[in-house]
Amino acid sequence: MLGEKPADGTVDNRALWAADAQRLNDTWGGALNSHRAALGLPPVDDVRSHVFTDTPWLAADPTLAPWPETRGLDVFQTGAWILPDQHPLSADLENWLDAGEPPVYFGFGSIRTPEDLSKTMIESARALGRRAIISRGWADLSLTDDEPDCISIGDVNQQALFPRVAAVVHHGGAGTTTAATRAGAPQVVIPQHYDQHYFARRVRELGIGTEHPPAVPTTDSLTATLSRTLHPEVAARAKPVADAVRTDGAQVAARRLMTAASPGSP
């Protein structure tokens, strides 16, 4: 956590997991049990286990992110919670898409990005003769010039856009990775932290894209990675994987919740 000193040397994951549980108890245990006492409920001595429950739900697609069976943990995998998005693309974006070949989408969502990443992305697309869409995101990525082969966008309906691009270059967030996989779009993943490294590996293992090396992207490194992703066989592999992605995850979760809430449920 921010402000905490990292552990010295190599620490076993089980020790880190236990330290995480203790941190949650120290941070939230008092407040949680105060509210529980006011409601006449017994105290909780393990906040994390209480939150996760004996049967946690995993809202991730089983093709993209299969749960590895783990002893002592009964996980219910619903699939990703996605509902149809009917928002149209802007007229400017529609006209730009129609004016040329499918572009490369670059976006990093709500995370910070390396310095000069916009310049690197645009140069890599141009090196391969591709147009580029730059999603501003929280990093406020911007264009480097006024050439017509690039366009800058804000929030967008990924369900409508991603099937129309040649590739999606992104940070490996769960939502963007799922949207790109579901659209059948080849991917370049440039992971920064947490589960982004897992999703980068899964994209590589499924053969639907490329994982950028663990370093700040340069024009040469990103051009090379994007070039491999744009090979026709990657797009061909992405299509059957897209067909395997579940679209009913939200409905599965809702039905499970309603069943659990019905009278007589265990």
Side-chain angles (χ1 to χ4, degrees):
M1 296 294 290
L2 186 64
E4 290 185 346
K5 181 181 180 298
D8 293 327
T10 301
V11 178
D12 180 76
N13 279 342
R14 294 182 184 276
L16 293 174
W17 192 234
D20 177 72
Q22 185 59 52
R23 177 178 59 81
L24 289 175
N25 286 338
D26 294 343
T27 304
W28 304 110
L32 174 63
N33 285 326
S34 175
H35 285 292
R36 289 180 64 84
L39 295 170
L41 297 173
V44 167
D45 58 7
D46 185 343
V47 172
R48 189 180 63 198
S49 294
H50 174 71
V51 172
F52 282 174
T53 77
D54 293 331
T55 307
W57 294 8
L58 177 59
D61 183 75
T63 296
L64 177 61
W67 172 253
E69 292 300 326
T70 303
R71 187 177 60 185
L73 195 57
D74 181 19
V75 171
F76 176 64
Q77 186 160 15
T78 63
W81 297 1
I82 300 173
L83 294 177
D85 188 345
Q86 305 298 335
H87 291 89
L89 301 179
S90 70
D92 287 344
L93 181 55
E94 284 279 8
N95 292 335
W96 187 86
L97 287 167
D98 290 340
E101 294 297 315
V104 176
Y105 168 95
F106 296 89
F108 279 74
S110 59
I111 69 167
R112 292 176 294 180
T113 61
E115 188 176 357
D116 294 330
L117 184 61
S118 295
K119 180 174 180 290
T120 299
M121 294 188 302
I122 291 171
E123 288 178 349
S124 67
R126 286 174 173 167
L128 297 170
R130 296 284 181 167
R131 301 190 300 159
I133 297 174
I134 306 298
S135 175
R136 290 188 290 273
W138 287 18
D140 199 25
L141 299 174
S142 59
L143 302 181
T144 57
D145 53 46
D146 296 327
E147 293 299 319
D149 62 341
C150 298
I151 188 172
S152 174
I153 63 172
D155 290 341
V156 70
N157 178 356
Q158 295 179 340
Q159 294 178 21
L161 177 60
F162 284 178
R164 300 175 64 179
V165 304
V168 176
V169 181
H170 62 98
H171 56 300
T176 305
T177 309
T178 301
T181 303
R182 184 183 179 198
Q187 302 173 56
V188 172
V189 184
I190 309 175
Q192 305 295 302
H193 49 64
Y194 298 127
D195 60 338
Q196 296 167 10
H197 296 281
Y198 167 78
F199 282 110
R201 176 170 60 85
R202 286 298 297 155
V203 165
R204 171 174 52 81
E205 289 174 345
L206 288 167
I208 59 176
T210 310
E211 178 181 6
H212 188 275
V216 175
T218 65
T219 299
D220 288 344
S221 70
L222 186 53
T223 300
T225 307
L226 181 58
S227 177
R228 292 195 296 272
T229 295
L230 290 171
H231 283 177
E233 59 266 26
V234 178
R237 174 60 183 154
K239 179 62 170 63
V241 174
D243 292 340
V245 172
R246 295 187 61 159
T247 60
D248 63 345
Q251 290 86 349
V252 169
R255 287 193 294 267
R256 177 87 168 201
L257 181 62
M258 295 300 294
T259 299
S262 64
S265 297

